[in-house]
Amino acid sequence: MTDPARLAPDERRALLRGTLYRIAGTPIVALLGLANTAIIVRQTGVEVFGLVSLITTVTLLFPFADLGIGATVLSASAQLNRSSTQRDLLAADVIRRAYRVLSGVAAGVAAAAFVVLATGRWALLTGLSSGSEDGWAITVAAVLFALTIPAGLGVRILIGIDRNELATLVLMSCPAFALLTTLALLAAGVSPIWYCVSALVGVLAGHTVGTVAALRLSGLGRSAFAAVGGHRTRLLAGSLWLFLVGVGLPAGLQTGRLLLSHLSTPVELSRYALTAQIYGVIWSVISTAGLSYWPVFVKRRGAATETVRIWWRITAIFAGIAAVGTIALAALGPWAASILSGGRIDVSFELALAFGALLVVQSAHLPANVLLTRPNEARWQAGWTVAMAMLSIGLGIVFAARFGAVGVVAAAALGSLLAQVLPDLAWVPRLVRRRAAGP
């Protein structure tokens, strides 16, 4: 009998390939992303760059637009029986239902963007303005973001069916598409604000490729867009709590941009945005590796002791890797920011160190985030995530005006430590062991 505490050969290969692809491709992705940032900084200037970055990162601020359904699809994909002619029909119906619901969400987001454009309220929401073209540029960015909502399910399916290496390649292709878009905008001589669409075009292009690959390899094909079978009411069970987690995480960890745009200066916003770009290179490696463990935990829901053992091990590994990343970020971040901005934006050691602290606490929480996906566990996560968001935002409001970018990043790190990492360490083993006593 196979030991549940040990990864199966297919799981080991999937995790190893995904990790190797990410490690090998990280320098390339970093160069593409940072080259893209360098071009945009030089074309927009310090003050407009902060606004462009705020709009560009709408996918970080609003990942909850998928209503937690992306997480449910990942779990369902992990249960697809690809080796048998008798496919798990319920899992397939979950994916079909998800595509139909998220297509409707995308249409709603796009319609809302045009309503805001018609009422001229974009400047009120962003807190900054660069000129008369802002409204149309932000609306186009919002529509692109809307299209990424259903398109993003492709990556979830790839991870669920243990094709982590392809999911990694899809995510790595996004900055390449973004750079090509930026070069096209540069050649067209557009106004600076229009550079806000380049990253979103990159994400949409990459996720579209991922969707095609996922539907082909999973065997779903075009049937993923067919009508759902007899199961309807409980197909997306638990997604409400995962939706709340999806609301709380960006609210607590990413709204620093909005706080700075309203309570601080454009220069502080630009410092935050540029350092976050460098931080994102390191975080993308860790987060992709963490997401790869989602199907591993789904397949071991009946083996509580072994699951806890795996969780402890990868939590320590991720925190250790993040600590090394913190050292690199603090040592090289200010220098890299100066190079990227051509000396226009100066980033302090304190700001780089604050992002390093955020990296450590986020990495320490990541394994629990991909482990606790059953409805009752997602409810527990949701409660603490809301607490983290309230704490981070509250401290951020207090710190933003006085400490600028350093303050909002430190607030996010402290909120995550107190309301996520510490509760994880105290409660995750108990929650998982309750599975053995439950139905």
Side-chain angles (χ1 to χ4, degrees):
M1 185 175 179
T2 304
D3 182 1
R6 295 181 179 274
L7 299 180
D10 287 346
E11 293 173 326
R12 283 199 300 269
R13 282 194 294 270
L15 291 169
L16 180 61
R17 288 175 182 172
T19 301
L20 291 177
Y21 274 53
R22 172 57 75 177
I23 291 173
T26 292
I28 299 173
V29 172
L31 289 174
L32 291 172
L34 297 178
N36 191 37
T37 299
I39 294 172
I40 294 175
V41 169
R42 285 165 171 77
Q43 294 301 310
T44 60
V46 176
E47 295 190 1
V48 178
F49 173 71
L51 176 59
V52 167
S53 177
L54 176 64
I55 301 165
T56 298
T57 52
V58 66
T59 51
L60 295 178
L61 293 168
F62 300 106
F64 56 84
D66 77 349
L67 309 180
I69 292 172
T72 306
V73 165
L74 202 160
S75 296
S77 301
Q79 300 174 53
L80 286 175
N81 186 359
R82 302 181 304 284
S83 62
S84 171
T85 55
Q86 297 297 320
R87 183 176 304 282
D88 186 339
L89 298 179
L90 179 60
D93 272 349
V94 169
I95 296 171
R96 294 189 184 102
R97 180 65 171 163
Y99 271 113
R100 295 173 79 87
V101 171
L102 294 189
S103 294
V105 172
V109 171
F114 281 104
V115 170
V116 177
L117 173 66
T119 57
R121 297 293 184 180
W122 280 122
L124 179 64
L125 294 177
T126 61
L128 297 171
S129 177
S130 70
S132 60
E133 296 184 45
D134 284 10
W136 278 107
I138 299 174
T139 301
V140 171
V143 172
L144 290 169
F145 163 63
L147 295 175
T148 67
I149 297 172
L153 293 180
V155 171
R156 305 282 187 163
I157 296 172
L158 287 173
I159 294 173
I161 62 174
D162 289 330
R163 300 306 295 265
N164 298 329
E165 72 280 8
L166 293 182
T168 300
L169 287 175
V170 167
L171 295 174
M172 289 166 55
S173 73
C174 295
F177 286 121
L179 179 58
L180 291 175
T181 304
T182 296
L183 293 174
L185 293 171
L186 180 63
V190 299
S191 300
I193 190 62
W194 283 99
Y195 285 94
C196 70
V197 305
S198 66
L200 290 165
V201 171
V203 171
L204 179 59
H207 283 182
T208 300
V209 172
T211 296
V212 173
L215 297 184
R216 184 182 182 88
L217 293 171
S218 67
L220 290 170
R222 295 182 180 178
S223 72
F225 307 107
V228 179
H231 320 91
R232 284 184 179 272
T233 57
R234 300 297 296 167
L235 280 180
L236 305 178
S239 59
L240 172 62
W241 300 115
L242 294 171
F243 163 67
L244 291 178
V245 172
V247 173
L249 284 175
L253 301 175
Q254 302 294 340
T255 50
R257 303 171 193 269
L258 286 174
L259 293 178
L260 291 173
S261 69
H262 287 275
L263 301 175
S264 190
T265 66
V267 173
E268 284 296 313
L269 176 59
S270 294
R271 287 172 178 158
Y272 178 104
L274 186 57
T275 314
Q277 182 79 20
I278 301 169
Y279 159 90
V281 174
I282 305 173
W283 171 242
S284 66
V285 177
I286 299 175
S287 62
T288 302
L291 202 60
S292 301
Y293 276 91
W294 194 304
V296 171
F297 287 132
V298 168
K299 295 171 185 175
R300 286 166 176 76
R301 283 179 170 172
T305 301
E306 293 78 6
T307 296
V308 171
R309 195 179 307 161
I310 295 173
W311 171 74
W312 276 117
R313 184 166 64 244
I314 64 173
T315 297
I317 291 172
F318 282 13
I321 293 172
V324 175
T326 296
I327 295 172
L329 188 62
L332 302 176
W335 170 80
S338 178
I339 296 296
L340 290 173
S341 65
R344 293 175 175 85
I345 302 176
D346 63 296
V347 169
S348 66
F349 170 79
E350 290 79 11
L351 179 56
L353 190 61
F355 267 105
L358 180 61
L359 179 68
V360 172
V361 294
Q362 277 196 275
S363 300
H365 171 64
L366 181 58
N369 183 236
V370 300
L371 167 60
L372 302 176
T373 55
R374 294 179 62 178
N376 64 310
E377 297 163 353
R379 182 174 65 244
W380 182 88
Q381 270 210 78
W384 282 109
T385 302
V386 171
M388 180 276 295
M390 294 175 63
L391 187 59
S392 299
I393 294 174
L395 291 174
I397 291 173
V398 174
F399 294 162
R402 183 174 180 182
F403 301 108
V406 176
V408 296
V409 179
L414 184 58
S416 184
L417 174 65
L418 296 177
Q420 289 187 307
V421 176
L422 295 182
D424 288 345
L425 299 177
W427 286 95
V428 166
R430 300 186 206 180
L431 290 169
V432 175
R433 290 189 179 105
R434 286 177 186 171
R435 294 175 176 179

